[in-house]
Each structure stands twice: as structure tokens, then as C-alpha cells.
Amino acid sequence: MNEDEGTGRHLQEEGDGILRAKLEAVGQPKTRVASFRLSLEAHSKMTDMADAAGISARAWLEQAVLDNRTRILARTKPHPEFKPLLFQAAKAGNNLNQLAHRFNALRLEGRLTGEECNAAMKTLEAIRELFAESVAHARSY
């Protein structure tokens, strides 16, 4: 075995050890505190980078140290109107499901023909597709 193969194997084993430690830590309660002091400038820079990445300073620092990631890319922030839109779309989706169940119940009771029920279901499906398109469009902003 040459020197490069030995070094490669060592790095592989070291990487496996880190991965194993991470897997063991998943689901473990966080019971240890690590703290240190920073200058105002360093703290400001760290919190600015965390804000730009869309995560907390603690999460940014944890990724930087444990994952050796000092460049953490920003997450795209949704438009401020997206969350209310999504909430309204979910409420409308629930209403569409309730209507579908009601139409089916009416059909089973004989108060709605199969053709009428199918027509109503097609209309509900078209409305659902419009909601899905609207949400997809809103996500792109």
C-alpha cells in the first residue's frame, strides 16, 4: 500500500466516525452548554450571516463548527403574503373535501344521480387544481 492509499483510508475512517457520531446524536436531547464571548463586531457579523442564511445564530454556529461549514447559503424567504395564502388554500381544500363527502352521501341516499355527482366532483377537482396552481405560482415569488 502506498502513502496516498493509507491517507485516503484514514480520511475515510475519520469521515465514517463523524457520520456515526452524528447519527448517534440524532434524537438525543441537547443537555450541554457551550459558551464563549465575542466582540461586538464578531457577534454582529455572525448574526448577520445567520440571518442571511435564514437560520438562528445557534444553528449557524453549530453547522459551522460540527459540519465544518463556514459558508452557509441563504434559504429563500417566502413572500410575506404566502403564509396567509397557504392557510386560506388549506381551509378551502378542507371545504372542498367536505363538499365531496356530502355529494357522495347524497348520491348514496339516492338524492343525487351518479351523473350529477360526477359533474360536481369534476367541478371540485377543477377548483382544487386552480388552488394548487395558485399556491405553486405564489411559491415562485
Side-chain angles (χ1 to χ4, degrees):
M1 163 180 8
N2 67 34
E3 187 176 319
D4 289 338
E5 289 174 343
T7 303
R9 181 174 295 127
H10 171 72
L11 292 175
Q12 174 73 34
E13 290 169 359
E14 184 177 305
D16 289 346
I18 292 169
L19 179 60
R20 206 172 13 264
K22 282 185 180 183
L23 289 174
E24 290 171 0
V26 172
Q28 299 278 332
K30 294 180 179 176
T31 59
R32 300 291 185 251
V33 175
S35 65
F36 56 93
R37 295 188 181 277
L38 293 172
S39 69
L40 180 61
E41 181 182 331
H43 184 267
S44 179
K45 185 176 181 180
M46 182 184 70
T47 55
D48 288 348
M49 288 189 284
D51 288 343
I55 57 177
S56 69
R58 186 214 48 83
W60 186 90
L61 188 59
E62 189 174 84
Q63 287 183 28
V65 173
L66 298 179
D67 297 341
N68 197 24
R69 293 176 59 194
T70 54
R71 183 168 181 234
I72 300 168
L73 300 177
R75 294 180 185 167
T76 57
K77 293 181 182 176
H79 190 278
E81 294 295 320
F82 182 71
K83 191 171 182 177
L85 170 70
L86 197 55
F87 177 74
Q88 292 299 324
K91 283 177 57 175
N94 286 337
N95 291 342
L96 291 175
N97 282 339
Q98 290 171 357
L99 288 170
H101 285 286
R102 183 69 182 137
F103 289 141
N104 196 35
L106 290 171
R107 181 186 60 82
L108 292 174
E109 293 171 5
R111 297 171 55 192
L112 197 64
T113 67
E115 286 180 3
E116 291 170 327
C117 186
N118 287 338
M121 294 298 199
K122 284 182 183 178
T123 302
L124 292 178
E125 180 59 26
I127 294 169
R128 189 203 62 77
E129 286 177 11
L130 288 172
F131 272 115
E133 286 175 21
S134 298
V135 170
H137 181 72
R139 282 186 197 275
S140 68
Y141 280 96

